[in-house]
Structures are given as structure tokens and as C-alpha cells.
Amino acid sequence: GAVVSQHPSRVICKSGTSVKIECRSLDFQATTMFWYRQFPKQSLMLMATSNEGSKATYEQGVEKDKFLINHASLTLSTLTVTSAHPEDSSFYICSARVLSGNYGYTFGSGTRLTVV
Amino acid sequence: KQEVTQIPAALSVPEGENLVLNCSFTDSAIYNLQWFRQDPGKGLTSLLLIQSSQREQTSGRLNASLDKSSGRSTLYIAASQPGDSATYLCAVSGVWDSSASKIIFGSGTRLSIRP
């Protein structure tokens, strides 16, 4: 089946540094990827939609200069949290829509970011 | 604006019981509805996908129904097992407020199956 590989699974960084999270579609081409953020015991909040070869579309209230998204190829999208602060600590998950079969969405395994 | 609600927020039942999780959505213009499972600290695992033209899907002990006109879906779990303990999320996909397709999640139901 369609698999999205997300790395790293966990990362701890110091305040003020930047962290990059990668999502790769392993056996299909993902023209569109979605990035979500999840706080403890809450649901997933859509942050932005990334389209291959064009600028990402950010949801209202999400700082595009802080959460940089790059989707340079049909199999790779990256999210960079710049100048991280403790309040950025969260669980970040990427997703891609699978255009074959049942047209559902497949998700990465998530990245637990802790900013200290 | 599409809103997805899941009831109950938490549920604890003894092993072996059949149970139903509920999901409702405010805008019936959806492409499909998907049920996911999330274990603590983990990503999402897709359980069942129902297209907007379908009324139900089954996989093993799981059965999901969709009533698009009333904005409701249910996930039925038969003969529950401790390994079913997880958070169950429903999500709908469609185009609302913009030209881009997106998926909106409910807040989830935390399910605990007692041995």
C-alpha cells in the first residue's frame, strides 16, 4: 500500500535553533502533502498544504515564516521549524492523498518535537 | 465551515462488548469519510474509507456507516479486545472555503477496553 515515511520520529532542540522534518512518499507520487500539528489529547490541526513545485498554502493563524515548507519533488516534502521556542513543542504529522485505489489519505508516523 | 464532532470523547468498556463510536459533520458536501486509529505518541493508521456514494464499509470486526444527508457516521466494533484500546478519529475530505481539497478531523474518541 501507499506509505509515507516521516523522519525524525523524535527530536529535541534548543530554543532558537531550527529543525527540519522530512516526509517521503515511498511507492507513489504525492503532488500534494498536508502538514498537521497535534497537541496532547487534542485532534490534528491542519497547518498547511504543500504542492510540488509551488508555494505552500497556510491555514489562518499559522506563521509561514516560522514554519517553512518545501515540496521540491513529487516524493519529498519538508517542514522546517525556524527559531524554535518551547511553545512549538508538539507532535507534527504529514499526510498525502493517494490518488489510486480508494483515494484516501495516508499519514506519516509523526515527529515529536521538544524545544528546551 | 466544516466542523466534525465525535461523541463520546472517551469510552471504557469491558472486553468482549460490541460498541459504537459516533461522528457528525456539518457540511454534507464531502468526497469521503475516513476512520483512523492512533496509538499514544504514534501516527495514524487508516481503518476504513467510505466514499460519498457509499453507505458502509467493513473490515474484520469493524463496520463503518455513512449517512451523508444527515451528516453522520458510525464505527461499530464487534467483540472488543484490549488491543483495540486507542484513540479513534474520523475525518472528512472535501472542498470548503477555498479551492483546495483538505481533510478535517474530529476531536477523537479515546477508547479503553478493560480485560
Side-chain angles (χ1 to χ4, degrees):
Chain A
V3 176
V4 171
S5 176
Q6 183 172 345
H7 294 280
S9 58
R10 292 179 180 272
V11 59
I12 300 173
C13 71
K14 293 184 178 180
S15 290
T17 62
S18 296
V19 173
K20 180 184 286 187
I21 302 170
E22 291 189 350
C23 271
R24 294 180 183 272
S25 56
L26 298 185
D27 47 5
F28 68 102
Q29 293 183 332
T31 56
T32 302
M33 278 199 178
F34 305 87
W35 287 93
Y36 294 83
R37 180 174 184 176
Q38 186 180 35
F39 291 104
K41 296 187 178 181
Q42 295 187 24
S43 190
L44 281 74
M45 180 190 76
L46 179 64
M47 298 174 66
T49 303
S50 77
N51 297 290
E52 184 268 335
S54 64
K55 290 183 178 181
T57 302
Y58 290 82
E59 296 298 303
Q60 191 173 10
V62 178
E63 298 177 61
K64 62 181 181 181
D65 293 331
K66 180 166 189 62
F67 299 100
L68 300 180
I69 291 174
N70 183 281
H71 195 156
S73 77
L74 288 171
T75 60
L76 175 64
S77 177
T78 62
L79 168 67
T80 301
V81 182
T82 63
S83 186
H85 291 279
E87 56 263 32
D88 298 326
S89 298
S90 188
F91 193 55
Y92 294 88
I93 306 178
C94 64
S95 171
R97 184 177 177 185
V98 183
L99 296 181
S100 62
N102 277 333
Y103 302 92
Y105 291 80
T106 185
F107 285 78
S109 54
T111 298
R112 171 74 60 192
L113 170 64
T114 302
V115 184
V116 298
Chain B
K1 178 183 176 184
Q2 178 70 273
E3 294 182 359
V4 181
T5 304
Q6 288 186 247
I7 295 174
L11 181 64
S12 178
V13 300
E15 181 178 3
E17 280 199 7
N18 304 324
L19 56 98
V20 175
L21 307 181
N22 298 289
C23 173
S24 61
F25 46 95
T26 55
D27 191 331
S28 62
I30 64 172
Y31 294 151
N32 55 51
L33 183 145
Q34 200 163 354
W35 282 92
F36 296 89
R37 168 185 174 141
Q38 186 177 30
D39 292 286
K42 304 292 185 182
L44 274 67
T45 301
S46 178
L47 298 173
L48 289 164
L49 170 71
I50 311 176
Q51 301 291 351
S52 61
S53 59
Q54 298 174 323
R55 294 194 64 85
E56 68 174 346
Q57 284 286 329
T58 298
S59 176
R61 294 182 294 107
L62 305 179
N63 176 276
S65 68
L66 173 65
D67 184 342
K68 198 175 74 164
S69 61
S70 67
R72 297 174 188 271
S73 176
T74 61
L75 178 66
Y76 175 82
I77 303 177
S80 59
Q81 304 170 358
D84 295 330
S85 299
T87 295
Y88 290 79
L89 295 158
C90 77
V92 295
S93 70
V95 177
W96 312 285
D97 304 324
S98 72
S99 60
S101 171
K102 59 178 67 173
I103 184 168
I104 303 297
F105 283 86
S107 53
T109 294
R110 293 190 303 279
L111 177 63
S112 175
I113 307 299
R114 306 190 298 270

